[in-house]
Each structure stands twice: as structure tokens, then as C-alpha cells.
């Protein structure tokens, strides 16, 4: 085993599909492999129990660095591994075949286009989809197309002139229902081409477009009472709805482009690079840039583009980027894609750079936990438009049951973490009936009136579980106490996770993946949990006491004594007269026995 610290390196390898690369002490790429789970596969090389192959042991002894590229699926990993091995030809990899290694599905450039598979690409205007790393997957897709769309399989020259002259006759495929007979004008060219368009959409992953059209056609057929046609469309819809569309790395029409994406933090940035040649990714790398003078993302990305193109000797005339770049290079076209295959490439690059950014930051924060806290609080301060870090946050929630047993709960977070010893709940005193706004007003007033009286430090942020109404009620109490300008108060509405500010007409929407929103949701959920727990306890106690109070001669005080002694109504019901008289007098004991006896008889009757 080498002196390479593989355990430290493995910590950075994710449980995701992708391609891994092993490098030696001379910084030479010595092996490239694919994996459905990168962490598990790379770990297996360093497992003494399974690493019995002599050549594998030699390979492992030379490893000094491990890099990897994550992809969307295992199929993508196969394709990327294939192209990278061909490009770099690492010493310990088996040499792969030429570009015919994987097959493609072709939509032939001809009248009434045929669809079939091939390993040979001819630049004749035909459309090629793929390549397919799994031949069985490709045949499954072709089988689905054949079952769903009757197309011709013959190689006849179906020109309009030949068809009109009646040169052809339908074959057995027509009799079997596998072809609609365009050779004898039984199917129009427009109808045939509509099927080709739908198939092309399916192969490009745009199955939703096809399904929407089929649904509309089904509804139209039903409306016209053409139920036979509706049934055929329904069958086609069900087949496509269950189909998992293929996944490819790059469309064959995209050649010789560079793809860049950036993810930036306050002091560092990460840039990912993908090199695309002949329809596949052949190079990929992510680098870290340390900011010195608070450089912009555009400045950093421009610097990285120049560095990568020099390092890999790239002369691509098109560069895909996430935003416009002011780079004086007349021979280069910068593309900021919004849709399509190029957008998918940019998204893949962005996925890689975001993963590396997260991993790097996680490493920093594990070594220095306070870094994460400060970063999170700083982000929250920016997102919530505050002028101080929200180190102390409090959240209010109300609960009631049909207007009865109203309670309020408050939870406290310090440094974005629950501080359960500071949780409090309130029995509402001044509100009658189900008035949530008045309940919130009372709870907020009581909480901060006491904090002011005791000289306790106020929170920097107050979160109200509710919309504008609850927020306005809370603000009334804060104004009455004269602290409305000293704290930030917001309301969060459950339905769309809207954040409301006092006086703002429109709510603030945070990104669903925002860490700030996650903290606020955690506060809200914790307040709800804490409030509901207390509310249920109070409600259950209230319900039980009411049951005993229905008995003649048993009032609230006596019922509470009975519950305290017997612990439950059930045990009161089962108690003997002697046992009851340990708590109540003879008359009350007889009344209790009579009450529960009557209920038992009523049930039996």
C-alpha cells in the first residue's frame, strides 16, 4: 500500500454516479473508471479483503491523487468514461474501440423517414440520437417506438412521383398493422411526419410535449364520440407515460465547445470546465480561486477561461457560459443558453461546480464550526434585510380547539439552533372565543413586557406564524411597548411560505432551497410542535374534567381531586364505593357510582 492518505481523499468522494480518475506522483493520469456510486467503487480499491489482483495492487500503490466528475445517471458515467479513456489513454486502462463503440438511433433524411440504429455516422443530414451505452436500452426504446408509432421499415424510394404512379404495393408489415401503407397513399406525408416529430421529441426527453398533445387529442376524440380512436390514443398515452426517457451527455450535433460555470462565496470561488468534442465530454476539471480584492464573478470566470484554454490548448470557437462575458476575443462566440441541449450542458457543469463548492465549504466548516454559523447568520441578515446578525430569534404560534383551550407557544433559537431551555408557553387570559389575532397580541405583549421588566436582552428577530393579520396584531403590542423599531419582525404564511414585513404590500419569496428559509421553517415547525403538545395536554385535561363535572354534586374542585388520586376517568369509573370515599363523601360516591352505572346500562340497551 502506498503512503497516499486515501482515507482523507475518500471523504470527499460522493455517493453519486460519475467517473473517477487516479493520478500518480508525476501528476500523470493512470486510470479512469466509471461507477454507479463513486464512494463505494473507489473505496473498494483500498479494501485489503477484496483487492487481491496483483495488477490492481500495483495500480493502487501508485495512486497519489483522486479526482472525479459527477453526472446525472449511470448511463452518463459510461459515456463519459468512454470518451475520456479514448482521449487520455491511461496506462492501466484497457484500450477501447473507435467511435463505433456505442450505437446511435438515426432518423433518416428521406421522404417518410425510417428510424433504426447504426454504429456509423454519415453526415447526410440525418438526425442521430445517442449514443447508447446500453444496447438493450436502445432496443427497448426502438421497441416502444414500433409499438406506439407504425412506421415503414422498407428501403423503397418513396418519392411523390413514384407513389402517384403506383409503383409499390403494401407488404406484410401493413397487414400486421406495423405500417400504415404510405407507399400506396394510405397514409399522408403530414400524418407520417407528425409521428416523426413526436418520436424526435421523445428521444430528446421532451415526452411531456407529446403527452399533452395526446391528452388533447383524446379529449377531442371523446367529444366527437370517436371512442375507437380515443381508445387507441389512450393506449399510446399509457405506453409513453410509463416510459423513462433516455439520458445522454451531449447531442451529436454539438461539437467542439467549451462549457464554464462558476459558484462564488465571499472569499473563494469555484469554476468548472467541460470540454466537448465530437458530441461527447472529453475533459473536465474544477478549480478553486481565492479572492484577493473582492473580484466580481465575471472577472474570476474570465481569468479561469483563459487559464483552462491555455492549460488544455483549446481552440474552440464557441464557449457556453452562465452570463455574458466581456472578453475581447473576436474569434470566439459566447453563448448563454436558455433552453435545449446546450442548456443541459451548462446545467451539468453547474451541478459539478455546486457540488465541489459544497464539499469544500463543508470541509472548512467541520474544522471551524463557528464559520458555518457566522456564514449562515450573515446570509440570513442579507436575505431578511436586517442591520444586525439574528443571533437570537423567537417564534410565536397559537393553538385552540373550537375556540376552547387557547394557548400560545414561543420557541427560541440562538445562533440558528434551538435553545429548548428558553421555550415558553402561555395560557391565554384576556381573550374570549376563537380570536387568533387577539391571542397573538396578548402573547407578544406578555412576553416582551416581562423581558423589559427583567432587563433581559431582546431578540434581533421575531417570527410570527401567520400572515398579515397575525403580524399586525404582534406589531400592535411591540409598538405599545415601544420596541417595534428595535427588532425585526416578520410573518410566515404556511400556504406558499410567504414572508410578510410590517407595512409592505407584497410578500417576500425566498428560494425554496435557501438556508434562511429552512431556518425559518424549522422555527415555525418547532413552535407548532411545542404549542400543539401543550395544547393537547390542556385540552385532554379539560375534556376529562368536564366529564366528571356532569355528575350531580361533583364540581370542578372535586373532579380535579378525583383525577389527581385515580389518574384517569376510567379508574374513577371502576372504583368501588370504599375507594371513592377516600376522596369524596358518601353522597358523592353514590352519585358517581349511579352515573357510571346508568351509562353502562344505556350502552347495553
Amino acid at each position: 500500500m502506498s503512503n497516499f492518505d486515501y482515507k482523507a481523499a475518500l471523504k470527499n468522494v460522493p455517493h453519486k454516479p460519475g467517473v473517477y480518475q487516479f493520478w500518480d506522483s508525476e501528476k500523470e493520469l493512470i486510470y479512469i473508471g466509471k461507477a454507479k456510486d463513486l464512494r463505494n467503487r473507489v473505496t473498494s480499491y483500498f479494501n485489503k479483503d477484496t483487492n487481491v489482483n496483483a495488477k490492481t495492487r500495483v495500480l493502487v500503490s501508485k495512486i497519489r491523487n483522486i479526482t472525479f466528475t459527477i453526472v446525472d445517471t449511470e448511463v452518463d458515467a459510461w459515456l463519459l468514461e468512454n470518451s475520456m479513456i479514448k482521449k487520455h489513454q491511461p496506462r492501466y486502462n484497457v484500450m477501447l474501440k473507435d467511435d463505433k463503440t456505442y450505437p446511435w438511433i438515426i432518423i433518416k433524411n428521406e421522404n417518410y423517414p425510417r428510424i433504426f440504429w447504426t454504429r456509423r455516422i454519415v453526415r447526410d443530414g440525418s438526425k442521430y440520437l445517442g449514443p447508447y451505452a446500453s444496447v438493450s436500452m436502445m432496443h427497448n426504446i426502438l421497441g416502444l417506438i414500433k409499438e406506439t408509432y407504425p412506421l415503414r421499415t422498407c428501403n423503397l424510394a418513396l418519392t411523390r412521383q413514384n407513389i402517384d404512379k403506383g409503383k409499390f404495393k403494401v407488404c406484410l408489415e401493413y397487414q400486421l398493422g406495423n405500417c400504415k401503407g404510405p407507399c400506396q397513399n394510405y397514409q399522408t406525408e403530414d400524418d407520417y411526419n407528425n409521428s416523426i416529430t413526436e418520436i424526435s421529441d421523445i428521444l430528446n426527453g421532451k415526452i411531456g410535449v407529446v403527452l399533452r398533445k395526446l391528452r388533447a387529442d383524446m379529449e377531442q376524440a371523446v367529444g366527437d364520440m370517436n371512442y375507437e380512436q380515443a381508445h387507441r390514443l389512450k393506449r399510446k398515452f399509457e405506453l409513453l407515460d410509463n416510459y423513462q426517457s433516455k439520458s445522454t451527455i451531449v447531442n451529436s450535433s454539438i461539437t467542439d465547445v467549451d462549457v464554464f460555470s462558476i459558484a462564488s462565496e465571499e472569499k473563494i470561488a469555484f469554476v468548472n470546465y467541460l470540454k466537448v468534442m465530437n458530441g461527447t465530454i472529453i475533459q473536465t476539471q474544477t478549480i478553486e480561486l481565492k479572492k484577493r480584492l473582492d473580484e466580481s464573478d465575471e472577472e474570476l470566470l474570465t481569468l479561469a477561461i483563459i487559464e483552462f484554454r491555455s492549460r488544455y490548448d483549446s481552440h474552440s470557437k464557441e464557449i457556453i457560459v452562465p452570463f455574458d462575458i466581456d472578453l475581447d476575443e473576436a474569434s470566439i462566440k459566447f453563448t448563454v443558453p436558455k433552453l435545449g441541449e446546450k442548456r443541459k450542458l451548462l446545467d451539468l457543469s453547474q451541478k459539478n461546480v455546486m457540488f465541489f463548492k459544497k464539499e469544500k465549504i463543508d470541509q472548512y466548516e467541520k474544522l471551524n464550526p463557528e464559520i458555518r454559523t457566522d456564514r449562515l447568520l450573515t446570509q440570513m441578515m442579507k436575505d431578511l434585510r436586517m442591520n444586525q446578525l439574528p443571533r437570537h430569534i423567537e417564534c410565536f404560534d397559537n393553538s385552540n380547539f373550537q375556540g376552547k383551550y387557547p394557548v400560545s407557544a414561543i420557541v427560541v433559537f440562538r445562533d440558528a439552533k434551538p435553545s429548548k431551555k428558553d421555550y415558553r408557553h402561555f395560557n391565554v387570559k384576556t381573550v374570549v372565543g376563537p380570536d387568533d389575532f387577539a391571542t397573538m397580541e396578548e402573547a407578544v405583549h406578555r412576553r416582551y413586557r416581562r423581558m423589559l421588566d427583567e432587563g433581559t436582552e431582546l431578540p434581533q428577530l421575531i417570527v410570527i406564524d401567520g400572515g398579515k393579520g397575525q403580524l399586525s396584531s404582534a406589531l400592535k403590542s411591540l409598538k405599545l411597548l415601544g420596541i417595534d423599531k428595535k427588532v425585526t419582525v416578520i410573518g410566515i404564511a404556511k400556504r406558499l411560505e410567504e414572508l410578510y414585513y410590517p407595512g409592505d404590500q407584497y410578500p417576500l419569496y425566498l428560494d425554496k432551497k435557501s438556508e434562511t428559509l429552512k431556518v425559518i421553517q424549522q422555527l415555525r415547525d418547532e413552535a407548532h410542535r411545542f404549542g400543539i403538545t401543550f395544547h393537547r395536554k390542556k385540552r385532554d385535561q379539560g375534556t376529562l374534567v368536564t366529564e366528571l363535572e356532569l355528575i350531580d354534586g361533583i364540581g370542578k374542585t372535586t373532579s380535579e381531586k378525583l383525577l389527581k388520586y385515580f389518574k384517569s376517568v376510567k379508574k374513577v369509573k371502576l372504583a368501588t364505593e370504599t375507594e371513592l370515599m377516600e376522596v369524596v363523601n358518601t353522597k358523592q360516591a353514590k352519585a358517581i357510582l349511579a352515573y357510571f352505572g346508568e351509562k353502562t346500562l344505556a350502552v347495553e340497551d
Side-chain angles (χ1 to χ4, degrees), residues 2-15 20-23 38-40 42-43 46 63-68 355-356 359-360 363 366:
S2 70
N3 58 7
F4 171 59
D5 187 4
Y6 69 91
K7 291 183 178 179
L10 289 175
K11 291 180 180 178
N12 299 326
V13 182
H15 289 289
Y20 55 91
Q21 303 97 37
F22 293 157
W23 306 76
L38 283 168
R39 171 75 70 83
N40 291 347
V42 175
T43 300
F46 302 93
I63 298 173
R64 294 296 181 273
N65 188 27
I66 301 172
T67 60
F68 56 89
F355 179 84
F356 273 85
E359 287 297 301
K360 200 70 172 180
Q363 290 176 28
K366 284 178 181 177

Side-chain angles (χ1 to χ4, degrees), residues 253-269:
S253 64
I254 301 177
T255 61
D256 198 10
V257 298
D258 291 338
V259 186
F260 293 90
S261 61
I262 185 169
S264 186
E265 282 291 311
E266 185 177 0
K267 297 181 180 179
I268 56 176

Side-chain angles (χ1 to χ4, degrees), residues 276-294:
V276 182
M277 287 289 291
N278 299 320
T280 51
I281 298 172
I282 62 171
Q283 289 159 337
T284 175
Q285 187 178 357
T286 303
I287 60 172
E288 177 183 345
L289 301 174
K290 292 185 179 180
K291 297 182 182 180
R292 299 296 185 187
L293 299 172
D294 195 26

Side-chain angles (χ1 to χ4, degrees), residues 452-553:
L452 290 172
D453 290 344
E454 295 177 351
T456 307
E457 184 178 352
L458 294 171
Q460 289 84 37
L461 175 65
I462 299 172
V463 179
I464 304 299
D465 182 14
K468 291 183 178 180
Q470 288 87 345
L471 181 61
S472 297
S473 299
L475 194 61
K476 285 182 184 178
S477 293
L478 296 177
K479 286 182 177 179
L480 187 62
L481 296 170
I483 60 173
D484 56 304
K485 304 296 183 183
K486 297 181 180 179
V487 297
T488 298
V489 56
I490 62 173
I492 178 171
K494 289 186 177 72
R495 189 171 66 90
L496 296 174
E497 306 294 47
E498 304 160 320
L499 300 183
Y500 288 94
Y501 283 81
D504 281 6
Q505 182 179 0
Y506 301 106
L508 170 68
Y509 293 95
L510 294 178
D511 187 286
K512 298 300 181 184
K513 297 180 180 179
S514 162
E515 287 185 288
T516 299
L517 182 60
K518 288 180 180 178
V519 172
I520 294 174
Q521 289 171 330
Q522 185 184 1
L523 270 158
R524 188 265 314 281
D525 295 343
E526 183 70 352
H528 186 67
R529 179 200 63 78
F530 185 63
I532 284 293
T533 301
F534 175 58
H535 171 259
R536 284 174 178 166
K537 181 179 179 182
K538 182 179 178 183
R539 184 189 66 193
D540 291 346
Q541 289 177 344
T543 304
L544 293 175
V545 168
T546 301
E547 171 79 9
L548 293 175
E549 288 177 359
L550 294 174
I551 303 172
D552 290 337

Side-chain angles (χ1 to χ4, degrees), residues 127-155:
K127 188 173 183 180
Y128 293 84
L129 289 306
Y132 288 86
S134 169
V135 176
S136 62
M137 175 188 292
M138 180 198 66
H139 285 301
N140 286 338
I141 293 171
L142 287 173
L144 173 75
I145 291 172
K146 183 176 181 180
E147 185 176 359
T148 312
Y149 296 93
L151 301 175
R152 74 166 178 132
T153 58
C154 63
N155 59 1

Side-chain angles (χ1 to χ4, degrees), residues 589-604:
K590 292 184 180 296
I592 292 170
L593 292 171
Y595 173 80
F596 286 115
E598 289 173 0
K599 288 193 70 176
T600 302
L601 289 172
V603 170
E604 291 175 351

Side-chain angles (χ1 to χ4, degrees), residues 21-286:
Q21 303 97 37
F22 293 157
W23 306 76
D24 65 12
S25 59
E26 302 297 323
K27 297 184 179 179
E28 180 183 351
L29 183 57
I30 58 176
Y31 187 80
I32 297 172
K34 65 180 180 297
K36 183 177 181 179
D37 185 307
L38 283 168
R39 171 75 70 83
N40 291 347
R41 182 69 185 97
V42 175
T43 300
S44 69
Y45 285 91
F46 302 93
N47 190 329
K48 294 181 180 180
D49 295 331
T50 59
N51 185 7
V52 295
N53 184 282
K55 290 185 178 180
T56 302
R57 288 198 294 269
V58 173
L59 165 66
V60 173
S61 70
K62 295 182 179 294
I63 298 173
R64 294 296 181 273
N65 188 27
I66 301 172
T67 60
F68 56 89
T69 300
I70 59 175
V71 295
D72 290 329
T73 67
E74 188 179 8
V75 175
D76 289 340
W78 292 339
L79 299 177
L80 181 55
E81 179 203 36
N82 180 53
S83 60
M84 291 183 72
I85 290 174
K86 290 175 182 176
K87 172 67 178 178
H88 300 288
Q89 300 181 10
R91 186 190 319 163
Y92 290 95
N93 273 103
V94 175
M95 291 305 297
L96 299 180
K97 298 178 182 179
D98 59 16
D99 291 336
K100 302 185 185 69
T101 302
Y102 294 131
W104 301 72
I105 290 178
I106 178 176
I107 301 177
K108 194 67 177 172
N109 181 24
E110 60 189 359
N111 294 327
Y112 299 95
R114 290 169 293 156
I115 294 180
F116 53 93
W117 70 273
T118 181
R119 294 184 186 272
R120 189 166 68 96
I121 295 178
V122 179
R123 302 299 177 184
D124 61 352
S126 298
K127 188 173 183 180
Y128 293 84
L129 289 306
Y132 288 86
S134 169
V135 176
S136 62
M137 175 188 292
M138 180 198 66
H139 285 301
N140 286 338
I141 293 171
L142 287 173
L144 173 75
I145 291 172
K146 183 176 181 180
E147 185 176 359
T148 312
Y149 296 93
L151 301 175
R152 74 166 178 132
T153 58
C154 63
N155 59 1
L156 300 176
L158 297 186
T159 63
R160 175 49 49 197
Q161 185 179 11
N162 289 342
I163 294 173
D164 290 342
K165 287 183 178 180
K167 286 190 174 183
F168 312 113
K169 291 187 179 295
V170 292
C171 62
L172 181 61
E173 290 295 311
Y174 174 80
Q175 306 297 338
L176 294 174
N178 295 330
C179 176
K180 291 184 177 181
C183 60
Q184 283 193 248
N185 260 335
Y186 294 161
Q187 181 182 21
T188 67
E189 192 167 3
D190 285 343
D191 182 60
Y192 193 99
N193 287 336
N194 284 337
S195 295
I196 295 297
T197 299
E198 290 184 7
I199 292 168
S200 181
D201 285 339
I202 293 168
L203 294 173
N204 279 304
K206 300 176 183 177
I207 194 168
V209 175
V210 180
L211 290 175
R212 285 192 292 272
K213 182 178 182 302
L214 285 173
R215 187 182 291 277
D217 290 345
M218 273 194 298
E219 293 173 354
Q220 180 65 42
V222 172
D224 296 339
M225 291 186 288
N226 188 350
Y227 299 116
E228 186 176 345
Q229 172 69 1
H231 178 73
R232 285 196 295 269
L233 291 170
K234 181 173 183 292
R235 169 64 178 161
K236 185 184 293 187
F237 182 91
E238 290 173 345
L239 283 170
L240 294 177
D241 193 36
N242 292 327
Y243 165 64
Q244 295 290 328
S245 64
K246 71 172 184 63
S247 175
T248 60
I249 288 185
V250 187
N251 187 289
S252 62
S253 64
I254 301 177
T255 61
D256 198 10
V257 298
D258 291 338
V259 186
F260 293 90
S261 61
I262 185 169
S264 186
E265 282 291 311
E266 185 177 0
K267 297 181 180 179
I268 56 176
F270 298 88
V271 176
N272 176 261
Y273 168 64
L274 301 177
K275 175 67 177 175
V276 182
M277 287 289 291
N278 299 320
T280 51
I281 298 172
I282 62 171
Q283 289 159 337
T284 175
Q285 187 178 357
T286 303

